[in-house]
Amino acid sequence: MAKAVLIQNPTSIYADEIGATYDFTAIYLNRIQQTVGDWVILYEARGGAFGYVAVQKIMQIVPKPGSVGRYLAIVERGSLLEFERVVPRDTPLGRAYEPVLRGPDGRAMLGGANSAAVRMIDPLSFAGIIDAGLTATTDHRDTLPRQPVTGLAEGAVTFVTDRTRQLSDRAFRDAAFSRMVRLAYDGRCAVSGLSLRNGGGRPEVAAAHIVPVADGGPDVVANGLALSGTLHWMFDRGLIAVAEDHSVLVSHNKVPADVVRRLIDPEQRLILPQNPRYRPHPDFLRWHRENVFGRGEPLPL
């Protein structure tokens, strides 16, 4: 097994499916085969964030149906984890995270290896990017010890082990996902429009997965909604959903009209994040409509 950096742009001619498959040509087959069973970092270039944005685990490689010389890397269901911050190519000290990109001054060069869609990366450099990407975006830091890169073998091994372990830690992933979703929606419920905070200034809204973790839903903001407790419960049980045009759908035969008036914004439209990259992905919303909406028990009158 080995780690790598994969370029995956938001708009692409390739048949990538977020958190499911990565489409690539035969030229990169040998490299990606080395990553099977291991983690890879996603980098956005053209049309994207120009930085490292997420991490996911590769499970297998299969030929792409109907395409000669193309393959699909199958991603482990639910392994995709978005970074809490976009990580630029260079560290704060001006040194490229990826050794293969470093020029004479240590900074990332233009051209050369930058154009490769798949780049192998050593475990320590991989862990450095993970460390930068998963640093908490609020003051509510997780308690996992943050080991510095000391250059010593023991310190480096501890650093890599800790960062890699975080990627499969459900409690860590849930906390990161919750912070990212609440921040993207500015602490406001996407359905009611209410913005409530506790005495410490922490938003009271919860981060709801659109496609649940149990069904392979990834931990990315585009698979999340900021919802108040009651609306979160209603969404998870299929009493409400979101249409393709972001209007709020209500199972009216199960939800009394007075509940709709009290809990849902009068316009009955989803209140979206200002940043387009964090808005709900239509594929996730469609999955929820097709698999969850309308199947819950009616609310008591």
Side-chain angles (χ1 to χ4, degrees):
M1 296 189 296
K3 295 174 172 58
V5 172
L6 311 183
I7 293 180
Q8 187 175 52
N9 295 318
T11 55
S12 171
I13 62 173
Y14 305 116
D16 299 332
E17 292 185 43
I18 182 170
T21 60
Y22 181 78
D23 183 0
F24 65 96
T25 63
I27 191 173
Y28 296 117
L29 179 59
N30 180 62
R31 295 184 186 181
I32 296 191
Q33 282 177 330
Q34 297 178 58
T35 72
V36 172
D38 212 333
W39 295 89
V40 298
I41 289 172
L42 300 181
Y43 179 90
E44 287 185 2
R46 183 179 62 254
F50 283 97
Y52 307 100
V53 297
V55 61
Q56 62 188 13
K57 196 172 192 178
I58 303 297
M59 292 306 295
Q60 67 177 122
I61 308 297
V62 298
K64 182 180 179 181
S67 298
V68 178
R70 299 201 69 85
Y71 296 84
L72 295 176
I74 308 301
V75 178
E76 182 181 277
R77 293 172 69 247
S79 68
L80 178 62
L81 173 61
E82 190 168 10
F83 290 161
E84 296 201 45
R85 64 194 72 240
V86 175
V87 181
R89 295 185 304 166
D90 291 339
T91 72
L93 298 178
R95 188 172 178 81
Y97 282 102
E98 295 181 69
V100 71
L101 299 184
R102 291 175 190 157
D105 61 355
R107 293 182 176 277
M109 299 181 295
L110 297 176
N114 280 286
S115 61
V118 180
R119 302 188 291 264
M120 308 310 295
I121 188 171
D122 65 277
L124 188 57
S125 300
F126 171 90
I129 297 173
I130 298 299
D131 185 68
L134 294 180
T135 297
T137 52
T138 73
D139 291 332
H140 303 286
R141 299 288 178 115
D142 294 281
T143 57
L144 186 69
R146 305 183 66 79
Q147 301 289 342
V149 181
T150 62
L152 300 176
E154 183 178 354
V157 169
T158 301
F159 179 73
V160 172
T161 301
D162 282 351
R163 296 305 168 269
T164 304
R165 179 169 61 84
Q166 286 177 334
L167 303 180
S168 300
D169 186 324
R170 190 65 252 168
F172 178 87
R173 293 176 68 107
D174 283 343
F177 175 77
S178 181
R179 284 192 298 267
M180 288 187 286
V181 171
R182 291 199 305 261
L183 185 63
Y185 284 84
D186 196 28
R188 182 183 301 274
C189 176
V191 172
S192 71
L194 294 177
S195 179
L196 301 176
R197 295 180 180 269
N198 62 21
R202 189 185 184 93
E204 292 289 359
V205 293
H209 284 85
I210 300 172
V211 179
V213 171
D215 292 294
D219 294 304
V220 297
V221 177
N223 185 41
L225 291 173
L227 297 174
S228 66
T230 300
L231 288 165
H232 188 177
W233 181 87
M234 292 173 65
F235 184 82
D236 285 351
R237 283 154 183 77
L239 299 177
I240 59 173
V242 180
E244 188 173 353
D245 65 354
H246 296 140
S247 58
V248 177
L249 304 175
V250 180
S251 185
H252 288 288
N253 63 327
K254 299 175 181 177
V255 181
D258 64 318
V259 173
V260 175
R261 288 194 296 270
R262 289 200 308 266
L263 295 181
I264 299 177
D265 185 79
E267 294 187 9
Q268 288 196 213
R269 294 190 63 81
L270 205 65
I271 299 170
L272 298 169
Q274 291 187 352
N275 190 333
R277 75 178 287 117
Y278 296 136
R279 293 173 183 173
H281 195 284
D283 289 349
F284 298 143
L285 293 175
R286 180 171 58 251
W287 185 96
H288 181 269
R289 292 194 302 271
E290 295 175 353
N291 293 276
V292 181
F293 183 53
R295 300 188 180 185
E297 293 296 323
L299 287 178
L301 294 175

